[in-house]
Amino acid sequence: MASASIPAYSSNALENSSTKNASRESLKMEPLSDMPLLPGEERVIDKDIIYICPFSGAVKGKVVITNYRLYFRSVEAEPVVTFDVPLGTISRVEKMGGASSRGENSYGLDITCKDMRNLRFALKQEGHSRRDIFDILFRHAFPLSHGLQLFAFLSQEKFEENGWNVYNPMQEFRRQGLPNDSWRITFLNENYELCDTYPALLAVPFKASDEDLRKVATFRSRGRIPVLSWIHPEKQAVITRCSQPLVGMSGKRNRDDERYLDLIREANGGTSKLTIFDARPNVNAVANKATGGGYEGEDYQNAELVFLDIHNIHVMRESLKKLKDIVYPHVEEAHWLSSLESTHWLEHVKLVLAGAIQVADKVSSGQSVLVHCSDGWDRTAQLTSLSMLMLDSFYRTLHGFQVLLQKEWLGFGHKFGSRIGHGDKNHADADRSPIFLQFIDCVWQMTKQFPTAFEFNDRLLLTVLDHLYSCRFGTFLYNCESARDANEVKTKTVSLWSLVNSDRSSYINPFYTMESSRVLYPVASMRHLELWVGYYIRWNPRIRHQSPVEQRYRELLALKDQYLKKLEELQLSGSAPRLSNSTAPSPASPTQRVTHMHTPF
Amino acid sequence: MFSVKPVKPTFKSYLPPLQTDLRKSPQPIKKLEAKLLPGEIVVNEVNFVRKCIGAESGRDDLWGKLICTNFKISFITHDTLPLQKFQYRSRLLGEHDIPLACVEQVVTVNDAKGKQKVLGSNQKLKFNPTELIVYCKDFRIVRFRFDEAGPESAKKVCLAIAHYCQPADPQLLFGFEYVGKQYYGSSGDRVNGVDHGGGLQTPLFDRPSEWDREIKRTGASEWRVCSVNEGYAISPSLPEYFVVPVSLADQDLKQYSGFFATQRLPLWCWNHPNGSALVRMASIRDPAQQRKLDQRICNAITKSHPKRSDVTKSDLDKTLPNIQDIQAAFVRLRQICVIEPFEESEEKWLSSIESSRWLEYVRAFLKHSAETVYILEGKRSSVILQEEEDRDLSCVVSSLVQLMLDPHFRSLQGFQSLVQKEWVMAGHRFLDRCNHLKKNDKEECPLFLLFLDCVSQLMNQYPAAFEFTETYLTVLSDSMWVPVFSTFLFNCPLQHAEHSKEFAQSKNIPLGEDKALRFPPVWDWSQQFTLKDQALFNSPLYVGKGATCVQNGAVKSFRRTKKSYSSTLRGMPSFQNGMAGEHTLDSLPRRNSLVLRLRPEFSQMRDAPENPSERFFRDWFSRPPDLQGLLLPQLLPSHLKLWRLYFLRWVPEAQISRGGPITAFHKLSLLADEIEILQSQLRQYKGSTPASTPAFTPGTPQPEHRRMYFKASSPQDDASPPEYLSSSFPFSPVGNLCRRNILGTPFSKFLSGAKIWLSTETLANETV
């Protein structure tokens, strides 16, 4: 059975060279003994199985399950079909059909993945042949539900670079010129006592005392007080973030909070207004009063409140579900655009981007802003990090982007553990939501609109998303910094940035051109937003996974180097043509002139 | 309500300080003279006119003189556009000029009286216009205000424009006067003197030698050039020379011609290296003769096939949208892209685009062409494209098929020869389809634009396979509205010949050696652009025949001999093994076999054996493409995109400032330019022996002779994208799209009942 699906499946393959071939002697007799195994990875079970490929039909083969992945290889099909799914990617395993089901391949397993694909296997109906594999898969795909450890804690991988050193909060504050006359760094939350979902180090207005901060914390949901995320290097305007105020049904006031917000405003040379961006739709903000939350009312005299109309995690989850329906396994053909529209995915992306643009525009015009939603860890993280990406070219470098994720997402407690559900069997958990994916999509949209502005490429974004689920690295595990500390993630697991920074060149965008002071304003319009085919439709065998333009640029670069080398050789060999200086103003030799040419890489 | 403000900052930085007085009075206008081309005359003009720049405020508006000539609407001003950072200038047109042939509709408005009127030719206007809105065929919407202008002269200019943009006769199209004047060589006024094809590399296919060369190039040894139609003796719509199977004698051809619609005999288009041929043919009128004649034609084509392989007929009228469908889709698309207010149409943008059906049609043509490719390449069978008149749909399909199969047509010269061969010579009715005379709206159809859109889709999927750029395609389509080129002025070569002869005779033009006026083809790009600007047509990505490329670190040349051509065409091996070879022919229906489906429902496929065409496409897609071989389009709807550069270039809100694909293109160009310099330096080392060349010139070629528009620069320049780059580059929305709301009503609704803009249901109705 010929199948064009191979390239797609082995393209799982953002897995990189650190994957070792464990062709150990002792394993020689085992089936698929040449399958890739990571250090610390162990085989648990193997089995004859039929893979029901949605594109080319039933494929006979063998499956191996390890404590990290599910690996399949076909036995008869030519060319060979293989694929490799980290168990962390699995959100749901179900039995399909019963012992008495009729029909070919009607008895087996149905696996739903978090990365926009499903897998279906058929087994022999005799002798409960799926029982053991189902149990093993279930245990190892959801280790936390079975008292097992996530693979990140079992991995023995070693990398040249230590990704945990990528982000040092103090260093990042210094890069931004902090502390300064108006802003100080406080260690008040060193032991996560002020707010257990915030980072240990916080930048706050110089004039606010630690006592003030404690008082404000009582009026902000989960103690997530307004703190600084970014400061404009010249204009001193800041982006601050927090959670909603605990206004409640009765419309409570809190003078401390009001005064504190005024301190934030004053810290920026006394601009007349502080703009508060509430990421939610107005109605949602009102509804939140019923549960004790709310928004800043009239009492905040020097503030203006703007709602950004971005919907909550549940809406985003449903939207992505609809999107999956129209792209997997088959791309909806008859009414593609209207189907895409009806998922509202791009519309949500647009609203997030449009919100971030408003934040960036305010700040670059010299006015300070405060961003919040309800808890300040989903939409708020999207808005602050995207606007920082627009404002500060440092975050558009490969290193800076890692810092941005560490700081605005991991540091400020985006609940990765709950949103992704690492190692947890409860696939229907209402806490799960693709907020981070949506953010990466927004970043991708920006890279499309500004192909030379980002140092990193699509591959980095894909790698981040793959390991968001894989549980191979400790980076995205748990809900906040304090939980990661408690679980000793930094010492017991490897950081994703170790993988990335040990192989930097694979993640570099060849078109990148440094422009340090430029603010990027993408066009947040349906005219330009596109579905990220390379991610959402990547499992379709008809899709090619390359960026031909990028590849061609690399080819040309290699060609240039080759020519330069040749020219140099010719020059050394002394056969230089005599240059008449009658026509050439510059007496420079060709090589000299050439090396002056300017195409920065 | 939350309004999307984001577009604002994009523009903010451009705005000049508020010093400009909104109520600035028109300054005395001195020396505002129209720049006229040879043969161009001023019809009417009016002073103190304001050209609108921004949508809302009048702050950036320009003051100047509005002139109607027999060629263009010209606006002349001493003011400079405040927001403009770059413009691609034409030699024939000024910054603010609109050729009359580009005018779609002329609307006059009187604000005070609340009146408005769509002006036609020879009409009366009962009010003095305060405003003129010109809707252009290239999607621009340009507005002029007459608040300070003399009311009578303003009215006269409006009437003149409306009148002159609807010429009563083809010979009133400006090209005739313009080209006619070129024959008075000594007048000293030959600013753009026509070089009569002297340096032109593109074959025009108006002489037998050029067809012969094409026959040789494709190895079509069993085909010959016939001259039965010399002097258009047989068919009025065929070229004088065309190619037929050797087995058909002139006598046969003459005899058969009578049975075809407009005596259009079948035309050979192209030969595959495997021997199969692509032929296009009009329908056979006489039902009694149909079977017999069909049989004879097919036999002759079969005989010209080295393997005597069967002929497959493909009925285009049955499978593709007709010209009315296409025109309707185009009108809807225009409505969505430039007429509908930007913000209001955001929410339903995707479904509106879908409901226009434009992309669906683009896909249908690409798909049908890909299926035809399968028959030629995979089944190795010759194909006849059949269409009632063989002058519309078959132009698109035959060109696309050849573009996919033959890398020669993906070079700039090759592409131009393709358009010349399959459109101009094959008698695509450009005059009618462009509706240059604005006589018959039913005949109007943007078929050529549709073709260019299909090309842009292929280009988008395989950017390194084409020598030319998206800008080239856009400029080519805009050239349709500059009525001086032989390419787009006529319905067929005969009409071209007749009119150019008649005009010369009636005007007593001293033709010299020519028999008739010789119009420049659009391919003579120096007519319109400087050499420097023409460099924007060259793609830095192109992996051409002679181009070098690096694979696994080794420099490799793509030069290849003619013989190896077939082996570089992809997809061949699997069919040579006989796996899906000749015998599959029997398993397919012979006639109308284009019911093949490109992308099967995989769920249903599981049990059914795989269809050979599906297999062909799958095999091809499973391997990396060879850019110098067969190219097939990715047809998933997720991979076909609105051609943004063409359709959105004038929309200010959609402009990405200092962004868009052009910024990567810029970077690539710099590198490609550097490589070009290196190459020429290397050549010098190789070519020079120390003693032989005393007056040796240094290695860097002169900038204007380098291929790239963006040149590698000196170290002090920084290589960041220039300020003026935007997603619209090299075009600019500034002053080119002024939608107008009257009393809060979208203009489209306000104009209800008017001609073409409203002949479609408004979007609102569709989306309810």
Side-chain angles (χ1 to χ4, degrees):
Chain A
M1 187 31 126
S3 164
S5 61
I6 316 92
Y9 285 107
S10 34
S11 82
N12 192 1
L14 288 176
E15 302 274 314
N16 92 332
S17 50
S18 74
T19 309
K20 266 195 206 158
N21 258 3
S23 48
R24 278 169 283 172
E25 289 295 310
S26 57
L27 290 177
K28 239 182 181 168
M29 298 315 289
E30 281 185 295
L32 307 186
S33 58
D34 58 341
M35 70 171 276
L37 284 179
L38 295 170
E41 184 178 356
E42 277 166 18
R43 297 165 64 109
V44 182
I45 190 177
D46 57 67
K47 206 158 191 97
D48 291 329
I49 209 159
I50 294 164
Y51 167 57
I52 317 249
C53 174
F55 307 104
S56 49
V59 183
K60 270 190 201 163
K62 283 206 183 304
V63 67
V64 176
I65 291 165
T66 72
N67 52 357
Y68 172 64
R69 80 184 88 204
L70 180 157
Y71 181 82
F72 172 86
R73 187 186 297 161
S74 64
V75 283
E76 282 159 19
E78 190 57 53
V80 179
V81 177
T82 68
F83 60 85
D84 188 333
V85 184
L87 298 183
T89 309
I90 294 172
S91 73
R92 181 179 192 175
V93 184
E94 278 182 310
K95 292 174 178 165
M96 162 185 86
S100 56
S101 294
R102 285 161 178 271
E104 210 185 336
N105 300 332
S106 61
Y107 175 81
L109 297 175
D110 220 349
I111 299 173
T112 310
C113 297
K114 297 168 180 173
D115 63 354
M116 307 294 286
R117 60 178 155 166
N118 296 341
L119 303 170
R120 180 172 271 210
F121 293 107
L123 292 110
K124 282 192 222 102
Q125 253 154 320
E126 309 85 61
H128 306 288
S129 67
R130 76 179 166 197
R131 187 184 287 161
D132 51 351
I133 186 170
F134 176 82
D135 288 346
I136 282 168
L137 202 54
F138 206 73
R139 277 167 62 84
H140 286 89
F142 310 120
L144 295 187
S145 304
H146 296 91
L148 297 173
Q149 277 190 302
L150 291 163
F151 179 74
F153 290 92
L154 305 169
S155 169
Q156 304 290 321
E157 281 190 278
K158 301 270 181 291
F159 292 93
E160 289 164 33
E161 297 288 326
N162 182 355
W164 293 122
N165 298 334
V166 155
Y167 174 59
N168 175 332
M170 204 56 190
Q171 211 176 316
E172 167 59 14
F173 280 134
R174 289 215 188 90
R175 188 191 68 84
Q176 294 192 21
L178 299 173
N180 63 14
D181 294 349
S182 315
W183 295 88
R184 66 187 182 97
I185 311 295
T186 175
F187 292 82
L188 183 62
N189 200 37
E190 204 169 16
N191 299 313
Y192 308 108
E193 281 159 357
L194 179 74
C195 170
D196 61 351
T197 57
Y198 258 18
L201 288 193
L202 301 170
V204 294
F206 190 84
K207 291 186 184 162
S209 68
D210 284 357
E211 195 42 45
D212 291 337
L213 301 179
R214 285 202 188 90
K215 285 185 194 155
V216 172
T218 61
F219 191 63
R220 289 280 163 179
S221 174
R222 298 172 205 265
R224 296 172 65 92
I225 60 168
V227 296
L228 178 145
S229 276
W230 190 77
I231 182 163
H232 195 290
E234 288 118 38
K235 297 182 173 151
Q236 301 297 308
V238 296
I239 300 176
T240 53
R241 59 181 289 174
C242 62
S243 59
Q244 63 183 343
L246 298 174
V247 175
M249 290 300 267
S250 56
K252 269 187 298 224
R253 275 183 77 169
N254 183 308
R255 308 270 174 191
D256 296 312
D257 193 69
E258 287 167 30
R259 204 171 59 87
Y260 182 71
L261 258 54
D262 218 37
L263 286 179
I264 292 177
R265 180 186 63 81
E266 278 175 13
N268 173 24
T271 37
S272 62
K273 279 236 183 315
L274 174 73
T275 307
I276 303 171
F277 286 106
D278 188 326
R280 301 166 292 184
N282 195 339
V283 279
N284 295 27
V286 173
N288 259 288
K289 286 188 172 180
T291 50
Y295 54 91
E296 292 81 357
E298 304 287 310
D299 306 323
Y300 292 78
Q301 291 190 343
N302 295 318
E304 77 174 324
L305 182 66
V306 179
F307 292 102
L308 294 178
D309 271 332
I310 302 169
H311 285 279
N312 63 25
I313 60 167
H314 311 294
V315 174
M316 302 309 176
R317 182 178 56 235
E318 293 314 308
S319 173
L320 184 67
K321 213 177 262 171
K322 283 186 197 155
L323 180 62
K324 184 172 177 178
D325 286 344
I326 65 162
V327 298
Y328 191 90
H330 304 304
V331 176
E332 166 74 40
E333 295 226 20
H335 295 285
W336 166 248
L337 289 175
S338 51
S339 306
L340 182 58
E341 185 176 281
S342 67
T343 70
H344 297 289
W345 182 255
L346 288 178
E347 199 184 317
H348 294 314
V349 165
K350 171 184 157 163
L351 282 169
V352 172
L353 270 174
I357 289 168
Q358 291 200 70
V359 173
D361 185 38
K362 255 309 177 245
V363 173
S364 71
S365 73
Q367 300 197 54
S368 291
V369 304
L370 174 65
V371 182
H372 71 73
C373 45
S374 296
D375 292 311
W377 51 44
D378 292 310
R379 289 166 275 198
T380 300
Q382 290 179 328
L383 290 168
T384 57
S385 54
L386 284 169
S387 53
M388 286 158 74
L389 210 52
M390 292 169 194
L391 289 161
D392 189 340
S393 62
F394 167 69
Y395 298 122
R396 306 198 284 258
T397 63
L398 182 55
H399 173 234
F401 189 64
Q402 296 168 17
V403 169
L404 184 71
L405 296 190
Q406 288 289 346
K407 179 174 147 59
E408 289 304 303
W409 289 85
L410 293 155
F412 279 102
H414 172 68
K415 301 201 291 172
F416 281 102
S418 309
R419 295 288 176 258
I420 307 302
H422 293 129
D424 176 55
K425 67 177 182 183
N426 186 8
H427 61 85
D429 189 344
D431 247 351
R432 294 197 184 176
S433 185
I435 299 302
F436 185 71
L437 166 64
Q438 189 175 54
F439 159 73
I440 294 289
D441 194 330
C442 292
V443 175
W444 180 83
Q445 303 286 350
M446 285 179 71
T447 65
K448 283 300 110 184
Q449 296 196 17
F450 300 100
T452 63
F454 293 83
E455 193 191 16
F456 51 86
N457 59 13
D458 283 14
R459 187 190 166 101
L460 177 80
L461 300 180
L462 287 172
T463 304
V464 166
L465 289 178
D466 281 347
H467 294 299
L468 172 66
Y469 308 120
S470 77
C471 298
R472 177 172 153 196
F473 301 99
T475 303
F476 295 117
L477 303 183
Y478 304 106
N479 281 341
C480 56
E481 200 175 287
S482 62
R484 275 185 288 275
D485 275 7
N487 287 283
E488 297 167 85
V489 167
K490 277 197 182 185
T491 49
K492 290 185 172 168
T493 74
V494 176
S495 159
L496 168 59
W497 314 127
S498 302
L499 171 91
V500 169
N501 295 334
S502 302
D503 181 25
R504 276 180 58 90
S505 62
S506 302
Y507 304 101
I508 295 288
N509 167 20
F511 298 116
Y512 176 58
T513 311
M514 238 266 280
E515 288 179 279
S516 47
S517 60
R518 177 164 173 213
V519 181
L520 293 187
Y521 289 114
V523 174
S525 152
M526 295 312 290
R527 269 82 167 170
H528 283 290
L529 298 180
E530 267 181 41
L531 186 72
W532 184 10
V533 165
Y535 182 75
Y536 299 106
I537 318 188
R538 69 204 282 220
W539 308 119
N540 191 310
R542 291 287 295 276
I543 311 290
R544 281 212 179 87
H545 297 270
Q546 68 207 38
S547 169
V549 181
E550 208 178 297
Q551 187 192 327
R552 180 74 185 138
Y553 191 81
R554 289 181 203 279
E555 283 172 8
L556 288 174
L557 273 180
L559 186 67
K560 175 183 141 187
D561 287 347
Q562 205 131 7
Y563 283 163
L564 275 174
K565 219 186 274 168
K566 253 195 225 168
L567 258 184
E568 228 166 90
E569 280 165 18
L570 285 167
Q571 215 177 20
L572 284 176
S573 72
S575 66
R578 264 178 296 162
L579 301 170
S580 83
N581 37 19
S582 58
T583 46
S586 136
S589 75
T591 348
Q592 275 167 326
R593 198 178 319 144
V594 164
T595 43
H596 281 263
M597 289 302 168
H598 203 69
T599 310
F601 178 67
Chain B
M1 223 18 230
F2 166 67
S3 76
V4 186
K5 253 169 72 190
V7 289
K8 212 171 141 203
T10 333
F11 283 87
K12 197 174 259 176
S13 57
Y14 283 176
L15 296 177
L18 274 165
Q19 55 188 9
T20 343
D21 185 6
L22 229 167
R23 305 254 90 226
K24 76 176 171 188
S25 58
Q27 287 152 14
I29 295 164
K30 343 160 228 193
K31 278 195 230 158
L32 287 178
E33 292 299 329
K35 269 194 190 160
L36 299 179
L37 294 173
E40 187 176 1
I41 49 163
V42 172
V43 178
N44 250 314
E45 56 184 41
V46 54
N47 247 320
F48 308 111
V49 174
R50 213 170 78 194
K51 180 179 174 180
C52 302
I53 299 300
E56 300 300 323
S57 87
R59 188 169 56 195
D60 301 315
D61 291 354
L62 309 177
W63 290 99
K65 189 192 225 178
L66 185 66
I67 301 167
C68 173
T69 77
N70 56 343
F71 169 49
K72 66 189 179 228
I73 301 169
S74 189
F75 178 76
I76 315 171
T77 177
H78 288 316
D79 299 348
T80 47
L81 274 173
L83 312 176
Q84 183 103 1
K85 307 240 164 156
F86 179 86
Q87 196 176 25
Y88 194 37
R89 276 168 207 271
S90 158
R91 283 176 160 180
L92 302 177
L93 292 160
E95 193 176 11
H96 305 283
D97 293 353
I98 304 162
L100 290 169
C102 187
V103 174
E104 168 74 35
Q105 194 172 67
V106 179
V107 178
T108 46
V109 182
N110 183 306
D111 281 336
K113 295 184 179 162
K115 285 186 172 170
Q116 68 287 317
K117 182 169 183 178
V118 178
L119 272 189
S121 181
N122 277 326
Q123 279 189 330
K124 285 200 179 107
L125 189 54
K126 287 180 190 154
F127 57 87
N128 288 328
T130 53
E131 179 162 341
L132 166 71
I133 309 171
V134 181
Y135 289 83
C136 302
K137 300 222 188 191
D138 62 4
F139 281 36
R140 281 183 289 168
I141 303 172
V142 184
R143 281 168 62 193
F144 299 100
R145 302 229 12 126
F146 301 122
D147 305 286
E148 318 278 345
E152 276 306 314
S153 1
K155 191 177 188 176
K156 275 184 193 156
V157 165
C158 293
L159 289 170
I161 289 170
H163 182 70
Y164 275 78
C165 70
Q166 295 194 26
D169 182 277
Q171 290 176 29
L172 291 173
L173 287 164
F174 176 67
F176 284 87
E177 284 295 337
Y178 175 67
V179 175
K181 277 288 180 297
Q182 317 282 316
Y183 286 89
Y184 300 93
S186 53
S187 71
D189 205 8
R190 295 180 57 163
V191 200
N192 306 297
V194 181
D195 170 14
H196 287 297
L200 200 68
Q201 288 175 305
T202 305
L204 299 180
F205 292 102
D206 55 356
R207 59 196 72 174
S209 59
E210 285 166 339
W211 286 107
D212 265 326
R213 214 170 303 139
E214 191 62 9
I215 287 174
K216 284 213 186 77
R217 193 186 67 80
T218 58
S221 52
E222 296 297 306
W223 297 79
R224 68 178 182 95
V225 186
C226 82
S227 48
V228 286
N229 201 36
E230 227 165 47
Y232 307 97
I234 288 185
S235 165
S237 78
L238 285 180
E240 288 193 89
Y241 309 100
F242 53 91
V243 175
V244 295
V246 271
S247 56
L248 289 181
D250 282 0
Q251 208 48 47
D252 303 328
L253 295 172
K254 280 180 194 158
Q255 187 204 328
Y256 299 162
S257 65
F259 301 116
F260 287 96
T262 64
Q263 293 78 47
R264 275 181 79 93
L265 289 160
L267 295 177
W268 171 87
C269 305
W270 183 78
N271 245 58
H272 191 286
N274 69 20
S276 49
L278 180 66
V279 177
R280 47 193 286 179
M281 185 169 105
S283 63
I284 298 164
R285 278 186 316 184
D286 186 348
Q289 295 294 326
Q290 196 172 346
R291 273 191 65 185
K292 210 168 90 189
L293 192 50
D294 234 14
Q295 199 62 48
R296 285 192 183 162
I297 300 286
C298 287
N299 281 344
I301 294 171
T302 301
K303 272 189 204 159
S304 287
H305 193 292
K307 295 240 167 81
R308 303 288 177 268
S309 141
D310 254 351
V311 178
T312 309
K313 275 180 101 176
S314 162
D315 189 336
L316 305 184
D317 292 315
K318 276 192 191 139
T319 44
L320 292 169
N322 64 32
I323 60 161
Q324 286 83 17
D325 296 338
I326 294 166
Q327 172 69 6
F330 178 73
V331 171
R332 278 193 294 265
L333 188 60
R334 173 166 53 196
Q335 177 78 22
I336 298 158
C337 289
V338 297
I339 308 284
E340 294 289 325
F342 190 87
E343 273 312 320
E344 283 86 330
S345 52
E346 272 288 282
E347 196 187 336
K348 293 284 171 192
W349 174 256
L350 294 174
S351 50
S352 306
I353 291 290
E354 179 179 294
S355 67
S356 82
R357 305 188 77 175
W358 179 261
L359 278 175
E360 181 186 326
Y361 294 161
V362 165
R363 183 169 175 235
F365 276 93
L366 283 169
K367 187 172 174 185
H368 194 90
S369 305
E371 284 161 355
T372 309
V373 165
Y374 161 69
I375 299 171
L376 288 162
E377 162 114 9
K379 285 177 68 186
R380 309 167 141 221
S381 155
S382 293
V383 175
I384 297 176
L385 302 177
Q386 192 159 28
E387 188 193 356
E388 180 63 31
E389 262 211 298
D390 181 33
R391 296 172 74 176
D392 289 306
L393 309 179
S394 50
C395 301
V396 184
V397 175
S398 72
S399 321
L400 285 175
V401 168
Q402 293 172 65
L403 209 56
M404 290 174 196
L405 279 165
D406 190 340
H408 168 69
F409 295 121
R410 304 196 286 260
S411 70
L412 182 72
Q413 290 304 333
F415 182 76
Q416 299 189 154
S417 76
L418 182 69
V419 174
Q420 192 64 31
K421 182 162 69 93
E422 299 303 329
W423 293 78
V424 183
M425 280 301 137
H428 177 65
R429 300 196 286 154
F430 276 109
L431 184 73
D432 294 345
R433 297 290 173 250
C434 292
N435 202 9
H436 281 316
L437 307 181
K438 300 189 176 62
K439 258 188 193 145
N440 193 349
D441 293 346
K442 276 188 198 147
E443 294 287 334
E444 188 167 347
C445 177
L447 213 56
F448 188 64
L449 179 69
L450 182 85
F451 163 64
L452 296 181
D453 196 337
C454 292
V455 179
S456 85
Q457 304 287 344
L458 278 168
M459 198 181 260
N460 192 28
Q461 294 178 13
Y462 307 101
F466 294 84
E467 188 180 16
F468 45 92
T469 58
E470 205 187 349
T471 301
Y472 169 81
L473 296 179
T474 310
V475 169
L476 179 57
S477 88
D478 288 346
S479 303
M480 281 198 279
W481 316 118
V482 183
V484 300
F485 306 115
S486 58
T487 320
F488 303 123
L489 275 184
F490 305 102
N491 281 337
C492 58
L494 169 65
Q495 194 191 29
H496 178 183
E498 281 179 351
H499 280 298
S500 15
K501 207 179 207 167
E502 243 179 69
F503 185 83
Q505 280 167 358
S506 67
K507 300 264 167 163
N508 280 321
I509 292 168
L511 288 175
E513 288 177 10
D514 290 348
K515 286 183 198 134
L517 288 189
R518 289 180 52 158
F519 290 83
V522 70
W523 320 125
D524 181 3
W525 288 106
S526 60
Q527 290 281 325
Q528 290 193 79
F529 302 104
T530 62
L531 214 52
K532 175 179 173 277
D533 281 351
Q534 287 177 50
L536 271 175
F537 297 167
N538 299 329
S539 165
L541 284 165
Y542 183 50
V543 181
K545 245 198 304 193
T548 38
C549 148
V550 177
Q551 275 180 354
N552 307 323
V555 179
K556 207 177 118 184
S557 169
F558 276 102
R559 200 168 293 116
R560 51 142 219 264
T561 59
K562 272 181 198 157
K563 290 258 164 77
S564 69
Y565 173 46
S566 62
S567 62
T568 62
L569 282 176
R570 303 186 57 259
M572 299 288 285
S574 61
F575 287 91
Q576 278 163 350
N577 303 341
M579 287 164 73
E582 310 289 323
H583 60 275
T584 56
L585 293 178
D586 303 320
S587 61
L588 284 167
R590 295 248 166 99
R591 287 278 168 94
N592 291 328
S593 63
L594 294 182
V595 286
L596 312 168
R597 303 178 56 204
L598 256 197
R599 196 188 153 281
E601 279 305 321
F602 288 105
S603 47
Q604 296 161 9
M605 236 191 59
R606 250 175 243 165
D607 304 316
E610 197 175 19
N611 174 325
S613 79
E614 285 156 8
R615 187 187 169 109
F616 172 80
F617 291 115
R618 263 209 211 213
D619 272 1
W620 191 84
F621 277 103
S622 69
R623 275 168 280 159
D626 170 7
L627 298 179
Q628 281 297 299
L630 169 65
L631 286 188
L632 289 172
Q634 172 63 262
L635 290 167
L636 283 178
S638 50
H639 283 67
L640 298 178
K641 293 174 184 152
L642 183 74
W643 185 11
R644 292 202 191 99
L645 180 65
Y646 186 86
F647 293 108
L648 299 178
R649 61 189 154 149
W650 313 120
V651 183
E653 298 92 329
Q655 205 190 13
I656 307 170
S657 172
R658 297 176 68 196
I662 190 70
T663 52
F665 177 94
H666 168 257
K667 186 104 181 172
L668 265 158
S669 300
L670 297 186
L671 181 57
D673 187 50
E674 246 183 284
I675 288 173
E676 202 180 324
I677 294 171
L678 284 172
Q679 274 170 334
S680 93
Q681 284 171 339
L682 274 172
R683 264 197 303 276
Q684 278 186 10
Y685 271 101
K686 282 174 189 157
S688 74
T689 51
S692 65
T693 47
F696 199 84
T697 40
T700 315
Q702 290 307 305
E704 61 268 30
H705 291 123
R706 280 155 42 194
R707 265 188 81 237
M708 290 300 111
Y709 183 82
F710 300 108
K711 309 268 193 289
S713 54
S714 49
Q716 59 265 30
D717 287 358
D718 106 58
S720 56
E723 285 279 319
Y724 56 73
L725 289 188
S726 79
S727 54
S728 295
F729 181 88
F731 309 97
S732 162
V734 179
N736 283 325
L737 189 70
C738 292
R739 297 189 198 84
R740 188 194 143 104
N741 292 344
I742 288 175
L743 304 172
T745 316
F747 196 56
S748 54
K749 286 175 191 155
F750 150 74
L751 258 181
S752 58
K755 208 176 102 178
I756 198 150
W757 299 89
L758 318 138
S759 55
T760 52
E761 320 93 297
T762 61
L763 205 68
N765 289 338
E766 284 180 27
T767 49
V768 162

